[in-house]
Amino acid sequence: MDPNLSYDDRRLRRLFAEFEPKQRRKVFRDAFRRTGNKVRKVARRNLRGTKLHNAAKMTRNVRLVVFKRDAGFRVTAAGLKFKRNTMHRNRRGKERPVLQWAEPGTSPRYSGKQRGRPGRRRSETLPSSRRYRGRMPRYGFIEKTRMQVEGTIGAELQKEINLQVDAIARKYGCS
């Protein structure tokens, strides 16, 4: 080793000082957000490929949720309860959260109330008072997305974390 060799590590120390726990969480959250947006884009493409009426318009309801305290994210079709744009206006003018029913599908629906004593089974209600109102088929576009991106998500997330760390290193001249 050369005794005349000197190294100025001030920039490296500034980089390590930058990586406080709060900054580390920000790096991970940014990486999760970028990766999650790619997964969300695949989910929207899968939704457009279904035979759901107004699917292209409902793609805005596919949301990305990046967890604040835990490490991770979720792509969901469930709308926010306080936002009107997560609902779909049906032909009767009512707003309904269609996408959260479209993913798992619904069970058969019937009209009318149950008659008889409390605790009676549904099959014991009078058939003349109940009419079949249909069911919603299972579209499963989120599950299809999960199968498509499951193998590549780890590598994509690692790449995004490296990009975030490199960006901070370039900011402090340590690249």
Side-chain angles (χ1 to χ4, degrees), residues 25-151:
R25 282 194 302 269
K26 183 184 182 312
V27 165
F28 281 112
R29 272 198 317 265
D30 289 349
F32 283 128
R33 182 173 290 110
R34 290 174 67 98
T35 306
N37 278 326
K38 292 177 183 178
V39 174
R40 179 176 170 234
K41 190 181 289 187
V42 173
R44 289 174 136 193
R45 188 172 52 235
N46 288 337
L47 174 59
R48 281 188 208 102
T50 64
K51 294 179 181 175
L52 186 63
H53 185 66
N54 284 339
K57 192 174 180 181
M58 283 192 252
T59 56
R60 68 178 183 214
N61 299 340
V62 177
R63 298 184 305 118
L64 167 68
V65 179
V66 179
F67 304 139
K68 291 182 181 179
R69 292 196 173 97
D70 298 332
F73 66 91
R74 177 179 67 225
V75 175
T76 181
L80 296 172
K81 295 195 185 313
F82 57 86
K83 281 202 163 189
R84 288 187 65 142
N85 66 352
T86 59
M87 306 290 254
H88 171 70
R89 186 179 302 276
N90 65 11
R91 62 186 174 185
R92 293 182 182 92
K94 306 280 184 162
E95 291 189 342
R96 300 288 186 240
V98 173
L99 274 189
Q100 73 182 34
W101 298 328
E103 174 62 23
T106 62
S107 59
R109 297 181 297 269
Y110 295 91
S111 68
K113 296 179 180 178
Q114 292 183 1
R115 294 188 182 169
R117 295 185 306 263
R120 254 189 171 178
R121 294 195 320 255
R122 286 186 180 261
S123 62
E124 294 176 352
T125 59
L126 297 175
S128 61
S129 66
R130 296 176 53 91
R131 300 280 185 251
Y132 178 68
R133 298 300 186 205
R135 57 180 283 277
M136 190 168 193
R138 180 181 187 280
Y139 288 97
F141 56 93
I142 297 286
E143 188 62 35
K144 182 179 177 185
T145 303
R146 181 185 317 231
M147 298 303 222
Q148 286 178 343
V149 300
E150 200 168 34

